[in-house]
Amino acid sequence: MNTTAAKRTHNAETENLDVIIVGAGFAGLYLLDRLRGMGLSVQVFEAGDGPGGVWYWNCYPGARVDSPGPMYQFSRDDLWRDWKFSELYPSWQEIRAYFRYLDEKLDLSRDIRFNTRVNEAQFDSARNLWTVRSSDGSVTRARYFVLCTGLGSKPYIPDLPGLGDFAGERHHTALWPQQGLDLAGKRVGVIGTGASGVQVAQEAAAVAAHLTVFQRTPNLALPMRQRTLDDDTIRRMKEDYPRAYQKRTTTFGGFDYEFLEKSAAEVSDAEREATFERVWEIGGFAPWVGSFNDLLADEVSNRAAYDFWRDKTRARINDPAIAEMLAPAEPLHPYGAKRPSLEQNFFEIFNQRNVSLVDLRKSPIERVTPSGIKTAAGEHDLDILVLATGFDAVTGGLTSIDIRGTQGETLREKWSKGVHTHLGMASAGFPNLLFVYGPHSPNAFANGPTCAELQGDWIVQLLDHLRQRDFTRFEATVPAEEDWRAQVHAIADTTLFPRADSWYFGANIPGKPREMLSFAGGLSTYVAKCNESAERGYEGFAIS
Ligand code: NA7
């Protein structure tokens, strides 16, 4: 490997880098810092104008993370000692400030080319190098190509008839104007009630002349229990950070708590109810991945959790007809089988006179008109249309780059017949290519920074292993990826996840194969399997 700095001329050919990384979010920045620390030459390409990954793009009103701030950071103590988030669940503004802090502290930007989108990458088998072409016209070559594009980097905009005719402001949540957009006094429509729709609706309800929420599937949203953190609270919380950061590497979700060691089926009715109450009071994802260990696998236990959620939620909604739309008597899918959002006052906003809810299952959108949305039940006049319609999640960030391996086909073509990876980090036919937080890793079920660190550490070790032995090429084998795919699917089949149409299965994108995209066996189990492969000399990889 070339350990001296390579030439980095823009709009020119740059040879002999060790590593090209795409994406300057948690995963890309962690690897940049670690790989530079090994003495490797690294270039990061980032389409946004600053670091932060999703937090560069998602600047819509109310955008905030669903993980508690202490968990939503790197665990290195020189990076958390001086840093503080002022709220338990930080806003996009504070997360961006955290990324600026990381940038200054670790001097990251000098190796990041912002406003530059990677369009194409081609593997050169004769030289074991990737050639990467970017939107600024540059051509860059490196031995290793690492994609840190995150699970939500390709926004999904549904093909609604007349969408282009809308005369007002229309924005997808992840393509929100960087200068902001004032919703005050406006007639705002929000299509979609996932994490983004819930957050933007809460903000819009407070200031809009009228807010219309267009819901296709009710969100079984959980109480965020947001709170501001004063200095004293932060100081006390920090005393526990070392334990919490250690703990988060050993759990299912990469948080500092775990499923209970009990099933809902084995306890008395009174204990079950008391436990549901306790995790409800904790809030956040505790009622999802900190509750009974059979909730996501056993139908009866799952139904008990749904009924508890439904009754708590309905009690907050005045109009019984609206309550039935938001929290139906009979669930549309198992509890927790689609990702629950965290909400602050989402259900109460529907008690306001300036907020209305449209059930798209009963009255589908017929077309978007210049003045608003026409559904089967009537017309809704709007000044601003918010498309909170989600992402071509998990795979979209990878398949939207034209990545060509040794078989002549692109990654997109290969995965159009079903995603194949080994350990959720590499794919046969694409040597020296790695991805973090990608398909068949625990991404959807794991806290981002924890996953970035643990997968990042594994990648650092792999590249060090290759360097120590003067190897220049590794590649996942076909049998290994067939086996990993079978494991990912087999684990999913023991759960209730397949019973919902969710982005976990690609079911939100028309034409996308319906298959489990995430490893649902838990982050700690996943890391153990990755380490097992490493201990056996990177079993499942051909190395030369
Ligand atoms: P999500 O969670 O994918 O939510 C998208 C929402 O948009 C969801 O409610 C969809 O309804 C709805 N949707 C999508 N297409 C349509 C059409 N054509 N008509 C009506 N409604 C539609 O995306 P988010 O941005 O909220 O969150 C993504 C993740 O980012 C989040 O989970 C965190 O991990 C961070 P559906 O449920 O499919 O019926």
Side-chain angles (χ1 to χ4, degrees), residues 151 156 158 160 173 191-197 216-217 338-339 360-361 365 388-391 503 508:
L151 64 78
Y156 167 61
L160 298 169
T173 43
I191 302 180
T193 52
S196 309
R216 191 164 66 182
T217 308
K338 281 177 85 131
R339 184 183 178 282
L360 295 179
R361 283 173 195 253
I365 293 174
T389 44
F391 300 87
W503 56 258
N508 63 325

Side-chain angles (χ1 to χ4, degrees), residues 493-508:
D493 288 343
T494 67
T495 70
L496 298 169
F497 288 118
R499 303 255 301 269
D501 284 333
S502 67
W503 56 258
Y504 298 155
F505 279 81
N508 63 325

Side-chain angles (χ1 to χ4, degrees), residues 54-55 58 60 64-66 151-152 156-160 172-174 190-199 214-219 285 332-333 338-341 360-361 365 387-393 437 443-444 501-504 507-510:
V54 289
W55 301 107
N58 288 270
Y60 59 84
R64 66 178 64 252
V65 65
D66 280 350
L151 64 78
Y156 167 61
I157 297 180
D159 190 16
L160 298 169
H172 187 281
T173 43
V190 177
I191 302 180
T193 52
S196 309
V198 164
Q199 292 183 340
F214 297 89
Q215 169 190 281
R216 191 164 66 182
T217 308
N219 189 326
F285 288 140
L332 271 69
H333 57 76
K338 281 177 85 131
R339 184 183 178 282
S341 302
L360 295 179
R361 283 173 195 253
I365 293 174
L387 297 167
T389 44
F391 300 87
D392 178 359
Y437 220 50
N443 59 52
D501 284 333
S502 67
W503 56 258
Y504 298 155
N508 63 325
I509 302 297

Side-chain angles (χ1 to χ4, degrees), residues 109-144:
S109 278
R110 71 181 153 93
D111 290 317
I112 307 173
R113 208 179 296 175
F114 293 109
N115 297 304
T116 310
R117 191 173 281 281
V118 168
N119 295 325
E120 282 173 47
Q122 166 102 47
F123 187 69
D124 174 349
S125 255
R127 296 196 289 163
N128 290 340
L129 288 177
W130 280 96
T131 302
V132 170
R133 291 170 204 279
S134 311
S135 57
D136 60 356
S138 63
V139 179
T140 312
R141 293 193 175 82
R143 172 117 308 140
Y144 301 110

Side-chain angles (χ1 to χ4, degrees), residues 39-246:
L40 304 187
S41 53
V42 186
Q43 174 71 61
V44 178
F45 289 94
E46 165 57 54
D49 189 31
V54 289
W55 301 107
Y56 174 76
W57 300 101
N58 288 270
C59 57
Y60 59 84
R64 66 178 64 252
V65 65
D66 280 350
S67 296
M71 287 295 101
Y72 207 64
Q73 304 180 44
F74 288 134
S75 63
R76 242 174 72 175
D77 76 346
D78 60 323
L79 297 178
W80 59 255
R81 286 221 180 269
D82 302 333
W83 178 257
K84 54 185 178 191
F85 286 121
S86 70
E87 293 177 306
L88 186 59
Y89 292 90
S91 66
W92 67 268
Q93 292 95 332
E94 282 209 326
I95 301 170
R96 272 201 196 173
Y98 172 66
F99 276 98
R100 287 195 297 272
Y101 165 82
L102 289 176
D103 188 5
E104 261 178 44
K105 191 111 180 165
L106 302 174
D107 190 17
L108 299 168
S109 278
R110 71 181 153 93
D111 290 317
I112 307 173
R113 208 179 296 175
F114 293 109
N115 297 304
T116 310
R117 191 173 281 281
V118 168
N119 295 325
E120 282 173 47
Q122 166 102 47
F123 187 69
D124 174 349
S125 255
R127 296 196 289 163
N128 290 340
L129 288 177
W130 280 96
T131 302
V132 170
R133 291 170 204 279
S134 311
S135 57
D136 60 356
S138 63
V139 179
T140 312
R141 293 193 175 82
R143 172 117 308 140
Y144 301 110
F145 185 40
V146 186
L147 296 158
C148 299
T149 47
L151 64 78
S153 57
K154 188 179 176 200
Y156 167 61
I157 297 180
D159 190 16
L160 298 169
L163 190 59
D165 299 341
F166 183 62
E169 290 259 6
R170 163 171 67 91
H171 299 286
H172 187 281
T173 43
L175 297 168
W176 201 258
Q178 291 292 324
Q179 71 277 14
L181 176 65
D182 192 4
L183 307 180
K186 300 283 176 27
R187 295 166 303 173
V188 179
V190 177
I191 302 180
T193 52
S196 309
V198 164
Q199 292 183 340
V200 79
Q202 289 175 155
E203 299 298 309
V207 298
H210 195 88
L211 166 68
T212 310
V213 176
F214 297 89
Q215 169 190 281
R216 191 164 66 182
T217 308
N219 189 326
L220 313 191
L222 301 171
M224 176 177 268
R225 311 248 181 259
Q226 173 70 306
R227 58 194 162 99
T228 52
L229 305 173
D230 59 29
D231 284 353
D232 204 39
T233 308
I234 293 170
R235 189 185 47 72
R236 272 185 283 110
M237 287 170 94
K238 282 190 176 178
E239 285 169 15
D240 188 48
Y241 277 18
R243 182 209 62 84
Y245 289 134
Q246 173 52 35

Side-chain angles (χ1 to χ4, degrees), residues 450-517:
T450 319
C451 213
E453 288 185 343
L454 295 175
Q455 286 191 299
D457 291 345
W458 190 90
I459 287 172
V460 167
Q461 273 175 31
L462 167 65
L463 299 195
D464 191 45
H465 174 90
L466 300 172
R467 179 169 69 168
Q468 302 285 341
R469 291 159 184 79
D470 281 333
F471 291 131
T472 56
R473 176 169 169 148
F474 72 88
E475 183 178 351
T477 68
V478 171
E481 66 177 15
E482 289 297 347
D483 179 56
W484 185 250
R485 177 179 158 87
Q487 285 192 53
V488 168
H489 290 189
I491 291 169
D493 288 343
T494 67
T495 70
L496 298 169
F497 288 118
R499 303 255 301 269
D501 284 333
S502 67
W503 56 258
Y504 298 155
F505 279 81
N508 63 325
I509 302 297
K512 193 168 172 173
R514 195 183 195 286
E515 55 174 343
M516 181 47 139
L517 295 172

